[in-house]
Amino acid sequence: MAVSFKSSFLFFHYGEFPGYLHNAIEHVRIFNPDSDIILVNDSFKQFSALNRFNITYYDIKQFNSPLLDSFRRSYRHISSYNEKYEKFCFERWFVSEIIRKASPEKVYVLIDSDVATFGNVSSLLESLPKCPISISGCSPHFSFIRESIDDFLNFILDFYSDDEKVNESLARHNNSFNSTRSFNLTDNAFLPLFMQVSRDVQNYNLASPLGFIDTNIHVPQEFDFLQLRRRQRKSIFWRMEQGRAIPYFKRDNEFVRAFILHFQGPGKRVFHRFNSLDGSPSEFQIWWWNQIFQKRWLANLM
């Protein structure tokens, strides 16, 4: 028997609103019509084109809690990336818990701005681990929060209160400048660390009952892919199903439905408005997207 639950999608976006954020929110609204959509940004910005999707806006500075206030006081920037952006990424976990505590009966989907959703998450819950946070790999691009995550937040706070650990990480970061791989202490880095000591964070199965949950379109994950000039990219095969464009991957001549596509990094350039509330895509659009995602010479131009 399927479990019925109310879901809320949490978008956290730093900086100006790009076109792909509009596409990501529209896909959530199309495939999850009964879900709440919350957008938290770094200043109280609103974009009129998003209002039709019935979303709730927040400025991250509106949120306060003892744990969040403690983090804001203790945070140390150990990264080559923008400090305000990195701190914002950490704060989203604390804010997610504040939002969750206000309505603990819901399941919260923490979703990145470059993720396209092609299904209803209500059928996924039974296949998820029974734990507060379910993620894929070490990336929170499409994660589920269903119980208190205070233990994870305290784990982060314990690190920043330990001068020895902070100084050791800072030295490691500084010494990595001349290395081929720099060391940056991001919020993502704390997920595998916490998984070593707690079962509160677990990986879910990417092969979900509703389709494959893509972690990054530039990572083949055993599917057919295009070898582009600078990187790989999964081949995507588009089909029209019940008036919607649905993506498929291919592996050993078998087509596998994709539940989400994660257009990470340069992939954002090909994150189109595959579906819209205004109507179905045309046959030409489906044909064109199949060319973009299956023809190497054309993909290299994108």
Side-chain angles (χ1 to χ4, degrees):
M1 181 177 178
V3 177
S4 176
F5 70 100
K6 179 72 173 177
S7 61
S8 287
F9 283 78
L10 303 180
F11 285 89
F12 289 83
H13 191 84
Y14 182 87
E16 296 302 317
F17 292 162
Y20 59 81
L21 173 62
H22 178 285
N23 298 340
I25 289 176
E26 186 165 22
H27 274 79
V28 167
R29 178 52 67 222
I30 290 169
F31 290 95
N32 296 266
D34 298 324
S35 296
D36 300 323
I37 301 177
I38 298 171
L39 174 58
V40 182
N41 54 67
D42 57 304
S43 61
F44 195 74
K45 298 187 293 286
Q46 294 197 40
F47 184 39
S48 59
L50 297 177
N51 293 339
R52 64 196 292 248
F53 305 135
N54 189 26
I55 70 174
T56 303
Y57 293 92
Y58 289 106
D59 180 341
I60 200 165
K61 292 186 289 294
Q62 292 177 259
F63 293 94
N64 292 282
S65 73
L67 292 181
L68 177 55
D69 294 342
S70 179
F71 170 77
R72 284 169 170 162
R73 290 192 301 268
S74 63
Y75 175 70
R76 292 281 302 278
H77 187 59
I78 308 175
S79 173
S80 302
Y81 303 110
N82 179 276
E83 180 173 353
K84 290 183 179 179
Y85 168 76
E86 290 288 14
K87 190 175 183 181
F88 179 88
C89 290
F90 274 100
E91 288 183 356
R92 63 179 168 172
W93 293 100
F94 294 85
V95 172
S96 294
E97 178 60 10
I98 294 171
I99 294 173
R100 189 205 67 79
K101 282 181 176 175
S103 298
E105 74 282 0
K106 299 179 184 178
V107 173
Y108 294 85
V109 187
L110 188 60
I111 179 172
D112 279 2
S113 307
D114 55 5
V115 170
T117 309
F118 297 92
N120 194 304
V121 299
S122 63
S123 300
L124 282 180
L125 184 61
E126 289 183 82
S127 66
L128 296 177
K130 302 295 190 291
C131 62
I133 305 174
S134 301
I135 62 173
S136 61
C138 297
S139 171
H141 69 284
F142 193 70
S143 301
F144 294 83
I145 299 174
R146 56 195 292 181
E147 300 172 26
S148 172
I149 64 172
D150 278 350
D151 285 349
F152 177 56
L153 304 181
N154 280 310
F155 180 78
I156 295 173
L157 291 176
D158 287 344
F159 173 88
Y160 283 108
S161 66
D162 189 323
D163 290 338
E164 183 178 348
K165 289 182 179 178
V166 170
N167 291 333
E168 180 182 311
S169 295
L170 186 59
R172 184 179 173 187
H173 168 67
N174 292 334
N175 292 334
S176 70
F177 287 135
N178 297 324
S179 173
T180 57
R181 186 173 183 180
S182 61
F183 172 76
N184 296 301
L185 193 62
T186 65
D187 65 310
N188 291 10
F190 280 88
L191 291 167
L193 293 174
F194 188 60
M195 290 174 74
Q196 294 175 16
V197 299
S198 173
R199 297 289 291 170
D200 279 7
V201 178
Q202 297 180 38
N203 288 130
Y204 56 71
N205 190 346
L206 298 180
S208 84
L210 299 181
F212 192 83
I213 301 175
D214 177 38
T215 60
N216 182 343
I217 66 166
H218 296 299
V219 178
Q221 295 176 281
E222 300 183 350
F223 292 108
D224 289 0
F225 64 92
L226 303 175
Q227 182 62 60
L228 306 183
R229 284 195 302 269
R230 296 183 179 179
R231 60 191 57 83
Q232 301 165 332
R233 194 173 77 196
K234 288 187 185 77
S235 299
I236 300 175
F237 302 82
W238 294 92
R239 298 177 180 175
M240 278 287 290
E241 297 181 358
Q242 297 181 329
R244 299 298 182 194
I246 303 297
Y248 282 79
F249 300 132
K250 189 177 181 182
R251 179 176 54 204
D252 299 328
N253 292 320
E254 179 184 356
F255 290 95
V256 178
R257 191 190 192 282
F259 185 73
I260 69 164
L261 297 177
H262 184 201
F263 294 92
Q264 191 166 22
K268 294 177 178 63
R269 293 195 295 267
V270 289
F271 187 170
H272 299 285
R273 193 183 181 193
F274 302 110
N275 293 286
S276 76
L277 290 174
D278 301 324
S280 302
S282 66
E283 291 184 5
F284 174 77
Q285 286 174 306
I286 295 292
W287 174 86
W288 176 239
W289 294 330
N290 276 320
Q291 307 311 302
I292 293 174
F293 289 100
Q294 296 172 34
K295 306 294 185 183
R296 181 176 178 272
W297 69 271
L298 184 55
N300 271 320
L301 300 176
M302 300 294 175

